[in-house]
Amino acid sequence: MLNDCLFCKIAAGDIPATIVAQDDQFVAFRDIDPQAPTHLLVIPREHVASLNAAMDAQMLGSMLLFAKTVAGGEGLSERGYRVVVNTNAEAGQSVFHLHAHVLGGRAMRWPPG
Ligand code: 5GP
Ligand code: ZN
Protein backbone atom coordinates (compact mmCIF):
# COMPACT_ATOMS: atom_id res chain seq x y z
CA MET A 1 0.00 0.00 0.00
CA LEU A 2 1.31 3.39 -1.03
CA ASN A 3 0.53 6.02 1.60
CA ASP A 4 -0.62 8.79 -0.67
CA CYS A 5 -2.46 6.69 -3.23
CA LEU A 6 -6.22 7.17 -3.53
CA PHE A 7 -6.90 3.73 -4.99
CA CYS A 8 -4.70 1.95 -2.41
CA LYS A 9 -6.90 3.65 0.21
CA ILE A 10 -10.09 2.51 -1.54
CA ALA A 11 -8.73 -1.05 -1.77
CA ALA A 12 -7.92 -0.95 1.94
CA GLY A 13 -11.37 0.40 2.82
CA ASP A 14 -9.91 3.65 4.19
CA ILE A 15 -11.84 5.75 1.64
CA PRO A 16 -15.43 4.76 0.86
CA ALA A 17 -16.44 3.59 -2.58
CA THR A 18 -19.37 1.68 -4.03
CA ILE A 19 -17.73 -1.70 -4.35
CA VAL A 20 -19.46 -4.12 -6.71
CA ALA A 21 -17.03 -7.06 -6.56
CA GLN A 22 -13.76 -7.99 -4.89
CA ASP A 23 -11.49 -10.91 -4.26
CA ASP A 24 -8.02 -11.35 -2.80
CA GLN A 25 -6.40 -9.68 -5.82
CA PHE A 26 -8.84 -7.10 -7.26
CA VAL A 27 -11.53 -4.60 -6.33
CA ALA A 28 -14.23 -3.27 -8.69
CA PHE A 29 -16.10 -0.11 -7.72
CA ARG A 30 -18.23 2.59 -9.35
CA ASP A 31 -16.45 5.59 -10.84
CA ILE A 32 -17.31 8.78 -8.91
CA ASP A 33 -17.82 10.66 -12.21
CA PRO A 34 -19.49 8.12 -14.52
CA GLN A 35 -19.08 8.57 -18.27
CA ALA A 36 -21.68 5.92 -19.15
CA PRO A 37 -24.67 4.30 -17.40
CA THR A 38 -22.24 1.64 -16.15
CA HIS A 39 -18.78 2.93 -15.31
CA LEU A 40 -16.69 0.71 -13.06
CA LEU A 41 -13.03 0.76 -12.15
CA VAL A 42 -11.14 -2.49 -11.65
CA ILE A 43 -7.93 -2.19 -9.63
CA PRO A 44 -5.35 -4.63 -8.31
CA ARG A 45 -4.98 -4.51 -4.53
CA GLU A 46 -1.24 -4.31 -5.07
CA HIS A 47 0.03 -0.84 -5.96
CA VAL A 48 1.20 -0.65 -9.58
CA ALA A 49 1.47 2.90 -10.93
CA SER A 50 0.38 2.29 -14.51
CA LEU A 51 0.37 -0.23 -17.32
CA ASN A 52 3.94 0.88 -18.04
CA ALA A 53 4.98 -0.36 -14.61
CA ALA A 54 3.03 -3.64 -14.78
CA MET A 55 5.26 -6.66 -15.32
CA ASP A 56 3.09 -9.46 -13.92
CA ALA A 57 1.37 -11.24 -16.81
CA GLN A 58 -0.73 -13.39 -14.48
CA MET A 59 -2.04 -10.29 -12.68
CA LEU A 60 -2.79 -8.45 -15.95
CA GLY A 61 -4.60 -11.43 -17.41
CA SER A 62 -6.60 -11.99 -14.25
CA MET A 63 -7.51 -8.29 -14.18
CA LEU A 64 -9.05 -8.58 -17.66
CA LEU A 65 -10.97 -11.69 -16.61
CA PHE A 66 -12.19 -9.83 -13.52
CA ALA A 67 -13.30 -6.92 -15.76
CA LYS A 68 -15.19 -9.38 -17.97
CA THR A 69 -16.91 -10.88 -14.94
CA VAL A 70 -18.03 -7.55 -13.51
CA ALA A 71 -19.25 -6.44 -16.95
CA GLY A 72 -21.32 -9.62 -17.04
CA GLY A 73 -22.63 -8.86 -13.58
CA GLU A 74 -23.84 -5.49 -14.90
CA GLY A 75 -25.72 -7.27 -17.71
CA LEU A 76 -23.37 -6.05 -20.43
CA SER A 77 -21.99 -9.30 -21.88
CA GLU A 78 -24.35 -9.47 -24.85
CA ARG A 79 -24.92 -5.80 -25.66
CA GLY A 80 -21.25 -4.93 -25.21
CA TYR A 81 -18.92 -2.86 -23.14
CA ARG A 82 -15.52 -1.22 -23.32
CA VAL A 83 -12.44 -1.85 -21.16
CA VAL A 84 -9.98 1.06 -21.15
CA VAL A 85 -6.59 1.47 -19.49
CA ASN A 86 -5.50 5.09 -19.77
CA THR A 87 -1.72 5.21 -19.54
CA ASN A 88 0.17 8.44 -18.81
CA ALA A 89 -0.54 12.02 -19.76
CA GLU A 90 -1.78 12.02 -23.35
CA ALA A 91 -4.18 9.17 -22.61
CA GLY A 92 -5.61 11.14 -19.69
CA GLN A 93 -4.42 9.02 -16.78
CA SER A 94 -5.14 11.02 -13.63
CA VAL A 95 -4.80 8.39 -10.88
CA PHE A 96 -1.46 6.63 -10.86
CA HIS A 97 -2.61 3.26 -9.56
CA LEU A 98 -3.32 0.84 -12.40
CA HIS A 99 -7.01 0.62 -13.21
CA ALA A 100 -9.25 -0.64 -15.99
CA HIS A 101 -12.37 1.35 -16.79
CA VAL A 102 -15.37 -0.85 -17.64
CA LEU A 103 -17.88 1.27 -19.57
CA GLY A 104 -21.24 0.25 -20.95
CA GLY A 105 -24.96 0.81 -21.12
CA ARG A 106 -24.85 3.12 -24.14
CA ALA A 107 -23.49 3.01 -27.69
CA MET A 108 -19.80 3.95 -27.87
CA ARG A 109 -18.13 5.88 -30.65
CA TRP A 110 -14.87 5.05 -32.38
CA PRO A 111 -12.25 6.48 -32.48
CA PRO A 112 -12.37 7.53 -28.81
CA GLY A 113 -11.77 11.18 -27.99
P1 5GP B 1 -8.01 7.97 -15.18
O1 5GP B 1 -8.34 9.38 -15.57
O2 5GP B 1 -6.75 7.93 -14.34
O3 5GP B 1 -7.98 6.98 -16.31
O4 5GP B 1 -9.21 7.48 -14.29
C1 5GP B 1 -9.35 7.82 -12.95
C2 5GP B 1 -10.82 7.70 -12.63
O5 5GP B 1 -10.97 7.70 -11.23
C3 5GP B 1 -11.67 8.84 -13.17
O6 5GP B 1 -12.65 8.33 -14.05
C4 5GP B 1 -12.28 9.46 -11.92
O7 5GP B 1 -13.61 9.88 -12.10
C5 5GP B 1 -12.16 8.35 -10.90
N1 5GP B 1 -12.04 8.80 -9.53
C6 5GP B 1 -11.22 9.79 -9.08
N2 5GP B 1 -11.34 9.93 -7.75
C7 5GP B 1 -12.25 8.99 -7.35
C8 5GP B 1 -12.78 8.63 -6.07
O8 5GP B 1 -12.44 9.20 -5.03
N3 5GP B 1 -13.69 7.63 -6.04
C9 5GP B 1 -14.09 6.97 -7.19
N4 5GP B 1 -15.00 6.00 -7.04
N5 5GP B 1 -13.59 7.28 -8.40
C10 5GP B 1 -12.69 8.26 -8.48
ZN1 ZN C 1 -1.98 2.58 -5.12
Side-chain angles (χ1 to χ4, degrees):
M1 157 137 184
L2 204 66
N3 264 346
D4 264 345
C5 174
L6 176 64
F7 286 177
C8 279
K9 288 178 181 164
I10 286 177
D14 294 343
I15 288 179
T18 305
I19 292 172
V20 301
Q22 56 184 320
D23 66 10
D24 58 336
Q25 223 179 349
F26 303 104
V27 182
F29 55 96
R30 297 200 187 281
D31 197 291
I32 205 168
D33 181 22
Q35 301 302 311
T38 292
H39 187 172
L40 304 177
L41 300 171
V42 174
I43 63 170
R45 290 187 181 278
E46 174 197 4
H47 182 83
V48 176
S50 78
L51 188 57
N52 282 339
M55 300 298 163
D56 183 342
Q58 185 277 331
M59 183 276 281
L60 286 171
S62 296
M63 189 166 121
L64 264 187
L65 288 173
F66 200 88
K68 174 184 77 171
T69 300
V70 298
E74 297 287 307
L76 296 172
S77 297
E78 290 304 317
R79 54 190 299 195
Y81 57 94
R82 192 171 283 181
V83 178
V84 176
V85 181
N86 295 325
T87 304
N88 273 359
E90 283 200 354
Q93 185 176 5
S94 62
V95 177
F96 283 81
H97 177 127
L98 178 65
H99 52 281
H101 297 258
V102 177
L103 297 146
R106 65 168 171 83
M108 304 277 165
R109 288 176 298 277
W110 194 263

